[in-house]
Amino acid sequence: MYQALARKYRPQTWGEVIGQDHVTQTLQNAVVQQRLHHAYLFCGARGVGKTTVARLLAKTVNCVQRGASSEPCNACESCREITNGHALDVQEIDGASNTGVDDVREIRERIQYLPAETRYKVYIIDEVHMLSKAAFNALLKTLEEPPPHVLFIFATTEPQKIPATILSRCQRYDFRRVAAEEIVSTLRHIATAEGMTVGDDLLHLLAYEAEGGLRDAESLFDQVIAACGTAVTVPQVRNLLGLTDRIMLLELVRAIVKRDAKTALGHLETAFQSGGNLPQLAHDLLEFFRHLWVRVSCGELPHRATMPTDEVEAVETLACGMTVEEGAQWFAILFRGIDSVIRGRFPKLAMEAVLLQMVQVTPMTSISALIDRVEAMLATGAGTQTPTSAATMPQTPTSRASAPSAAAQGRAPINAPSPAPSVAGSAEASAGEPGFAWNAFFQKLRRSRPQLASIVEHGHVQRADVERVELRFPRDSLYAAMLQEADRLAQFEALVHEQFGSTCRVQIRQIDGLTSAERQATVRAERQKDQHRRHSAALEHALVREAGEVFGAEIAEVKVYGEST
């Protein structure tokens, strides 16, 4: 009777297990050192060897000839019965079909009896996460204090669904996906044993479709042999499994990169008329553009050994004319649109829309490159003499398509302003208007010396320039007396000299007729005036004007650093 390849070549010793050395070595050591735990939890994707390892552990602990050794003999009666699935003391239970509390109660009743033929009763529960909450609760006490002759081994693909109370009572082992190279090596060994000659491209294709599951790869190989016999070709396998024609896929990618919409839609129509799987095509296209994006971002293509040679060459060739920004755009468009292709009512229309969006991606300059260019123009004086038009600056597709011109927005041509004056220069040029220089100093004072600022703000600034800073307080003001204390005054003068220059004098006066309400109203008015001046200066700054011209932007709001909100 024919036996499936996955069963025929199931590992029967620890050394035959592929890709799970971190699990097998630990379990072998536990057997030899007689440090067996009473409950194990094997987690991992489908087809990576969880049930196989569970059977190997059951054979190892129950082997009659070798006893507590690291390998089962596979010759004694116990090993043969476990291999054939006939052992009375090794029970494999499907958690998906035995989910109820009654099933668990039956197990609890059975474990009280000693093994009939072996040293341990082993219960292997597959897909244990399918058990009901009541079943898990019924299992709790048994897992915590089982009889010494019982061993529980749980296997699951979804450990997050298992209650924490169960997890805390088990030793957990996470199984990894099997590497593509190891799957290819195993399939090559099977092909040799079966008297077949197959190419590496076919084995790589099966390994890729298995997604790290060795059992899935063996099952696919079995299906291919049944359909095609011993003479198997890659096109036959692609047609059998409903996979995308890679030659057509490469041509489609080249059409997208060349922005050839007509050719791209033609390839899609050909794939559709030939019965191609559009969701599979979208997935393969997404993966290929992922390879391109990784290549231009990293400078090399990791894991290239798992890809066919012609695809590696295509990625290297296409990546030479790409930028990281283009790769990100193409991948983002595909990633957003693939869901509508897979789950939408009109997958062909959705795929056409995705392709048209992709061919419309235009080369773009990054924001940092634009800023660097504007700053370079300003540094050379270009930005302060003649305003650069948006047409002469590099633009993104969005700015070219939708940014309105200055004339369309009703703005008159703006003559480039001279560079904004410094705080000290403003104060020197306009000693009668201390607001700008003083408020800049006061904001700095508020950040660095908040207590001193709370005293100073109760005074009225009469003058603030490089020659003199004059503050006026009402007669008998407590705040004036506090500011005139020697240590505090010395600290204030040092800060004034740092801002306005060492020749600036500080004068603190107390006068009659300046009420607190009047002083506060004056300060508010001056602050509003100063805020308006600073906002106007910001709008007229050369860098702001250049940025507005480049991006076609309008200033919605101006915020000055350090200004209270």
Side-chain angles (χ1 to χ4, degrees), residues 220-342:
L220 288 174
F221 196 24
D222 215 347
Q223 181 181 354
V224 167
I225 296 174
C228 306
T230 56
V232 184
T233 63
V234 172
Q236 287 177 316
V237 174
R238 291 193 178 280
N239 183 55
L240 173 66
L241 302 181
L243 304 180
T244 306
D245 182 358
R246 306 304 286 189
I247 297 177
M248 186 276 294
L249 179 68
L250 293 179
E251 292 299 325
L252 178 58
V253 172
R254 292 189 182 98
I256 293 172
V257 173
K258 293 178 181 178
R259 278 76 172 179
D260 187 348
K262 182 178 179 180
T263 303
L265 292 179
H267 287 307
L268 176 62
E269 184 67 25
T270 301
F272 180 75
Q273 294 298 334
S274 61
N277 188 336
L278 293 187
Q280 183 66 42
L281 174 62
H283 176 270
D284 292 341
L285 199 62
L286 178 69
E287 185 179 48
F288 198 94
F289 274 97
R290 174 262 178 198
H291 294 329
L292 285 174
W293 191 15
V294 170
R295 171 61 180 81
V296 296
S297 299
C298 302
E300 60 180 1
L301 188 61
H303 310 298
R304 57 190 297 163
T306 63
M307 299 173 57
T309 305
D310 57 340
E311 291 189 18
V312 174
E313 294 175 354
V315 169
E316 295 291 342
T317 302
L318 293 171
C320 293
M322 280 179 55
T323 64
V324 176
E325 291 77 15
E326 287 175 312
Q329 281 186 286
W330 278 322
F331 185 86
I333 292 171
L334 263 173
F335 192 80
R336 289 194 303 265
I338 194 171
D339 192 65
S340 60
V341 176
I342 294 175

Side-chain angles (χ1 to χ4, degrees), residues 475-486:
R475 182 71 63 186
D476 300 326
S477 171
L478 175 62
Y479 297 103
M482 294 172 64
L483 185 58
Q484 287 175 324
E485 292 177 3

